Amino acid sequence: MNFLDLKTNFLDPENMDTEIVERKGLGHPDTLADALAELISMEYSKYCIDNFGYVLHHNVDKFYIGAGFFKSGFGFVEKIKPVQVFINGRMSDSFGGHQINVDVLQRKTILSYLQAVLPNLASTDVVINSNVTQNSQIPYWFQPRGIEDLPEYSKLTANDNAVCVASYPLTTCEDLVYSLEEYFWNKEEFFPSPRFKCFGQDIKVMAYRNGNAVNIGVRVPVISTFAPDKNAYNDIVAQAQKDLSLFANELVGDKYRINLEVNANKPYMLGIGSCIECGEEGVVGRGNSSSGLISMFRPHSTEAPSGKNPKYHTGRVMNYLVTILSKAIYDELGVKNSVIAMTKNGSTLIPPYLLSISTGITVDKKDIERLVTKNILEIDYVAGLLRDKQVR
């Protein structure tokens, strides 16, 4: 494996004096954009495989959501202008002359997710603008006549120069931040649903660990109709702070000292639960990494995988594969690690141009090569990417 670079220079944030971790919750505009772009690509890809046997060319990784205008205050919400959604990108709208109604597929996917995650947002509160085209310098790229117009199925190459990174396992602080936002959700078969009616979903959690002291700020919106006055709002927030502090301390035990504040300094109240209702905006790639977190002391990539083609787009394929590999190395060998994959445009996608793995201890290279073969070279990554509706 001449593409494999194995080192023992892994830096474990758990052992550092300082750690900063953030999570933008499921109702945050940027997280919504990531999730919706990803789900549109997934549903479109599944449709293509079911009907044609191939994933057709598409990319919707410039997805946008926001710019609504809903006034809210103690005890009321007034809906003035709807939220705007723009599906930007390109999608094949036919294969071998068979037409695909991409607008219907996009709309169904968007509304089903938004209504699950933001139950206070009605379908009439959203305007969906499909801005996808079939424009390309390559003839038939987005209107393929047959398999001959899908060259990635005969010779798979990387479509871009890119770097993708994954690390495993989470530190205690990372797990804590993720769990605190997850506290507000019910786990459902398909999409999560809000656990508490009085709270909105545009939640942000940030933790700053200095030694064994962890200071955590949680911003969680109170739904305005559940707070008729300031006293009612303060009671809701005080109870949330008490419950979350207890939950956090149960998670970490005696390892860290927790200081947690909810909605410190100023009130946080919304009408439907996400700041897309009051002019704020979300676009793909501005939020969490694929781990669901923003970890300031981890190696990371700026590659945004959501909404990209799961067959050949290196940013989506390699992001998934390094995540699978990093977890496998820890699960099977018990070794903390970071995995970095680099691809070059026009070179092989599988294997990547470079696969750099850093561990904290010396490991047998044969064990790593076995896991690379299983989780990079031989895995059916398209099926894996499309198997579950998992949104982070």
Side-chain angles (χ1 to χ4, degrees):
M1 292 185 176
N2 58 1
F3 61 91
L4 179 61
D5 179 35
L6 186 58
K7 298 184 181 299
T8 56
N9 60 348
F10 173 69
L11 293 177
D12 187 355
E14 195 91 60
N15 298 329
M16 297 179 183
D17 292 334
T18 301
E19 193 176 0
I20 300 173
V21 184
E22 179 185 2
R23 171 161 169 79
K24 296 180 178 181
L26 295 183
H28 187 283
D30 291 330
T31 313
L32 287 172
D34 282 341
L36 290 168
E38 184 72 357
L39 290 167
I40 288 172
S41 175
M42 289 174 69
E43 293 303 315
Y44 175 80
S45 298
K46 289 176 183 177
Y47 175 91
C48 292
I49 290 174
D50 290 345
N51 286 273
F52 314 122
Y54 311 105
V55 176
L56 304 187
H57 298 150
H58 71 280
N59 55 278
V60 288
D61 54 317
K62 306 300 187 294
F63 192 98
Y64 167 98
I65 184 170
F69 184 33
F70 297 4
K71 287 185 177 180
S72 62
F74 293 117
F76 81 94
V77 58
E78 180 185 359
K79 301 177 180 182
I80 299 173
K81 291 184 179 180
V83 171
Q84 298 290 320
V85 170
F86 284 87
I87 310 122
N88 301 307
R90 297 180 291 181
M91 296 183 88
S92 299
D93 64 354
S94 67
F95 181 75
H98 177 93
Q99 293 297 309
I100 306 169
N101 195 330
V102 295
D103 289 355
V104 169
L105 184 148
Q106 292 165 358
R107 181 176 180 81
K108 181 180 179 181
T109 302
I110 290 167
L111 291 180
S112 63
Y113 184 72
L114 288 180
Q115 289 170 347
V117 174
L118 300 174
N120 294 311
L121 183 71
S123 60
T124 52
D125 298 330
V126 182
V127 175
I128 298 173
N129 306 277
S130 183
N131 190 37
V132 299
T133 74
Q134 290 74 48
N135 302 336
S136 176
Q137 289 184 331
I138 305 174
Y140 305 108
W141 192 253
F142 290 99
Q143 292 179 325
R145 298 160 295 180
I147 187 64
E148 67 274 13
D149 293 322
L150 303 173
E152 62 275 13
Y153 279 91
S154 57
K155 184 181 179 181
L156 182 63
T157 59
N159 79 312
D160 200 1
N161 298 325
V163 176
C164 297
V165 185
S167 300
Y168 202 83
L170 297 181
T171 67
T172 301
C173 196
E174 288 172 330
D175 184 65
L176 176 60
V177 168
Y178 195 94
S179 298
L180 283 168
E181 197 267 339
E182 196 175 44
Y183 176 87
F184 290 91
W185 297 92
N186 296 310
K187 293 183 179 179
E188 307 289 354
E189 182 180 0
F190 293 109
F191 303 134
S193 64
R195 184 179 173 193
F196 307 104
K197 291 185 178 180
C198 62
F199 291 116
Q201 295 71 48
D202 197 339
I203 301 164
K204 184 180 285 189
V205 182
M206 178 173 280
Y208 163 55
R209 179 178 64 79
N210 186 15
N212 67 345
V214 184
N215 293 291
I216 305 170
V218 179
R219 295 287 290 173
V220 52
V222 173
I223 297 296
S224 57
T225 50
F226 282 84
D229 52 42
K230 190 173 182 179
N231 288 334
Y233 171 87
N234 288 337
D235 288 344
I236 291 171
V237 171
Q239 187 62 51
Q241 181 160 314
K242 179 180 178 181
D243 293 342
L244 284 174
S245 295
L246 179 62
F247 178 69
N249 279 288
E250 288 176 346
L251 284 175
V252 303
D254 297 331
K255 185 171 184 177
Y256 294 136
R257 291 182 288 108
I258 301 294
N259 176 42
L260 184 147
E261 292 184 296
V262 176
N263 295 357
N265 301 324
K266 62 180 181 180
Y268 184 24
M269 191 162 54
L270 294 171
I272 63 164
S274 175
C275 286
I276 57 172
E277 70 184 66
C278 50
E280 293 199 22
E281 303 160 309
V283 293
V284 167
R286 287 175 47 88
N288 306 315
S289 71
S290 57
S291 69
L293 300 165
I294 303 168
S295 298
M296 302 308 297
F297 296 100
R298 292 278 197 189
H300 64 279
S301 169
T302 57
E303 187 72 27
S306 297
K308 292 175 177 173
N309 190 294
K311 175 63 180 177
Y312 64 82
H313 201 297
T314 182
R316 193 173 186 202
V317 174
M318 292 314 304
N319 183 77
Y320 173 73
L321 292 178
V322 295
T323 301
I324 295 295
L325 178 59
S326 183
K327 187 175 186 302
I329 292 172
Y330 180 76
D331 288 346
E332 297 196 30
L333 304 180
V335 178
K336 295 182 178 182
N337 67 91
S338 290
V339 179
I340 300 174
M342 174 184 172
T343 60
K344 294 182 70 174
N345 194 338
S347 185
T348 60
L349 177 60
I350 309 293
Y353 178 77
L354 172 67
L355 188 66
S356 179
I357 301 174
S358 60
T359 59
I361 60 174
T362 301
V363 295
D364 191 330
K365 189 173 183 180
K366 290 182 179 179
D367 285 333
I368 297 296
E369 289 178 339
R370 173 177 56 83
L371 293 174
V372 169
T373 298
K374 178 181 177 181
N375 297 284
I376 299 287
L377 304 183
E378 295 181 351
I379 190 173
D380 185 351
Y381 62 84
V382 175
L385 277 164
L386 303 183
R387 188 176 298 121
D388 302 309
K389 290 189 176 77
Q390 293 183 344
V391 288
R392 288 178 173 267

